[in-house]
Amino acid sequence: MIATLSCLAPFSTTVVDRLRSGDARVLAQAISTVENRGAGWSDLLKALFPHTGRARVIGMTGPPGAGKSTLVDQLAKHYRKKGQTVGIIAVDPTSPYTGGAILGDRIRMQDHYSDPGIFIRSMATRGSLGGLARATADAATVLDASGRDLIMIETVGVGQDEVDIVRLADVTIVILVPGMGDDVQTIKAGIMEIADIFVINKSDREGAERVEREIRALQSLVTRHDLWTPPIVKTVASDGMGTEELAEAIANYGAYLKKENLVLKKNVENWQERLVEMLRDALLEKARSQFVDGSVARYAAEVAEHKRDPYTLVEEIVSKMEKSA
Ligand SMILES: Nc1nc2c(ncn2[C@@H]2O[C@H](COP(=O)(O)OP(=O)(O)OP(=O)(O)O)[C@@H](O)[C@H]2O)c(=O)[nH]1
Ligand SMILES: [Mg+2]
């Protein structure tokens, strides 16, 4: 269990300076603080926010076992060779990272750990305050402020939470593999729509062309409002094949957004969603603070037994909140 920064709250510039100087311990503690909403979490984020906005956030999602971690690992190596620093957030990994592809390979694990240019964090905090998307976004903010050039977020693309997380990245990569039963149609429609780049990993297996054809067929039905056509990159992550092409596709998308003057627009859209979510969290927390322990269950019982109507009840709670504001 990593300690939080509560002992250091309220946040002095020293903590921010140490974080920005690349101190990995402070970085890990700062992420724990915002993730668990430990003492001073909001002061910390306020102090860090002016230092954010520089990192590129790459979201990666796809079905379990598609090779996401292996691909993240290859990309991390690629960027490290170019002298860039990397932060990795693995969200709710089905196999914990320590047993998964990146860290399971002891030699590579050693490589990474001896390289302070790569910081890996796994988040398995479903049900955490404010939800997984909130916790991940805040962790990315900390990594961004710490000066990491690239932040990669890996999620298993199964639920809305995961879609919400990667959708807010600067570039979203959807990883598919050959032989997924009924193939691409079975992948959640929401995931297809968020892809800025498609990867067909495990292209060493039979059926990669078929997956490509299916993606193309689905693409022909959708027009994106930014008019970008997501490229399809074939990779064999386990031996590094296609990594260069993927990095190039990532760079191309960034260049396209710049050329079309869409960077700010995309950021504004993302913040519009995040602000609404933050507001919802804050208001919900405030509403919850109106309840003493067990009163929600008591109200629920009263409504279930038709002793009370839920509409009046909610109005009453909201009006109480307004009065206490
Ligand atoms: N044949 C083949 N195997 C691969 C390839 N890429 C990854 N693998 C293997 O597929 C397995 C799963 O890889 P991971 O990188 O852990 O997949 P993941 O998508 O991160 O898995 P979860 O996080 O558990 O959802 C590992 O045994 C990898 O070595 C590939 O391109 N070809
Ligand atoms: Mg993984």
Side-chain angles (χ1 to χ4, degrees), residues 3-285:
T4 65
L5 282 174
S6 54
C7 51
L8 296 171
F11 294 99
S12 58
T13 44
T14 335
V15 174
V16 176
D17 287 346
R18 276 171 62 196
L19 184 85
R20 292 180 46 71
S21 74
D23 187 327
R25 229 188 90 238
V26 173
L27 178 56
Q29 289 174 345
I31 292 176
S32 294
T33 299
V34 298
E35 186 184 352
N36 306 324
R37 294 200 165 171
W41 68 272
S42 68
D43 286 340
L44 176 60
L45 287 171
K46 283 175 204 165
L48 293 181
F49 186 77
H51 304 287
T52 61
R54 219 186 51 85
R56 286 213 76 198
V57 182
I58 303 172
M60 303 251 212
T61 192
K68 299 176 296 296
S69 300
T70 316
L71 205 56
V72 165
D73 187 34
Q74 295 288 2
L75 273 179
K77 269 196 201 146
H78 170 89
Y79 289 121
R80 286 302 294 138
K81 272 196 208 131
K82 298 199 172 312
Q84 301 195 284
T85 53
V86 176
I88 298 168
I89 306 173
V91 179
D92 226 9
T94 45
S95 48
Y97 246 52
T98 44
I102 286 193
L103 303 183
D105 183 331
R106 299 221 169 244
I107 297 158
R108 278 191 290 162
M109 176 170 115
Q110 224 72 57
D111 275 359
H112 283 183
Y113 270 135
S114 60
D115 176 4
I118 295 186
F119 179 90
I120 303 170
R121 175 65 173 236
S122 93
M123 312 268 284
T125 51
R126 204 164 280 282
S128 72
L129 272 173
L132 202 51
R134 195 278 310 159
T136 309
D138 288 345
T141 297
V142 176
L143 279 167
D144 186 353
S146 79
R148 300 276 146 173
D149 297 308
L150 285 134
I151 300 168
M152 292 193 249
I153 303 175
E154 175 193 341
T155 72
V156 181
V158 287
Q160 190 57 47
D161 246 6
E162 287 76 10
V163 173
D164 285 345
I165 291 165
V166 286
R167 205 168 34 120
L168 296 185
D170 296 318
V171 50
T172 301
I173 301 171
V174 170
I175 299 162
L176 302 170
V177 286
M180 300 188 306
D182 262 339
D183 293 331
V184 179
Q185 325 293 12
T186 60
I187 295 290
K188 271 179 64 99
I191 283 199
M192 295 297 292
E193 281 154 23
I194 59 168
D196 300 315
I197 296 169
F198 286 102
V199 165
I200 304 173
N201 190 41
K202 306 199 183 183
S203 285
D204 51 327
R205 292 191 179 164
E206 212 181 298
E209 276 70 31
R210 181 175 161 199
V211 177
E212 186 172 3
R213 275 199 306 277
E214 291 187 8
I215 298 171
R216 293 262 181 250
L218 284 177
Q219 270 182 335
S220 65
L221 306 173
V222 195
T223 317
R224 289 168 57 113
H225 67 275
D226 64 0
L227 300 179
W228 165 258
T229 307
I232 302 172
V233 182
K234 290 203 197 104
T235 59
V236 182
S238 45
D239 66 15
M241 212 198 81
T243 312
E244 295 276 336
E245 289 81 352
L246 178 56
E248 205 178 302
I250 293 168
N252 285 345
Y253 181 58
Y256 177 82
L257 290 180
K258 259 195 206 131
K259 182 171 81 74
E260 301 292 320
N261 264 331
L262 292 169
V263 178
L264 184 64
K265 188 166 175 270
K266 193 171 155 88
N267 272 333
V268 171
E269 282 169 9
N270 286 358
W271 274 110
Q272 198 161 330
E273 303 214 11
R274 263 191 83 185
L275 282 176
V276 170
E277 254 160 50
M278 284 166 71
L279 205 56
R280 188 169 43 212
D281 284 351
L283 289 173
L284 200 59
E285 214 166 288

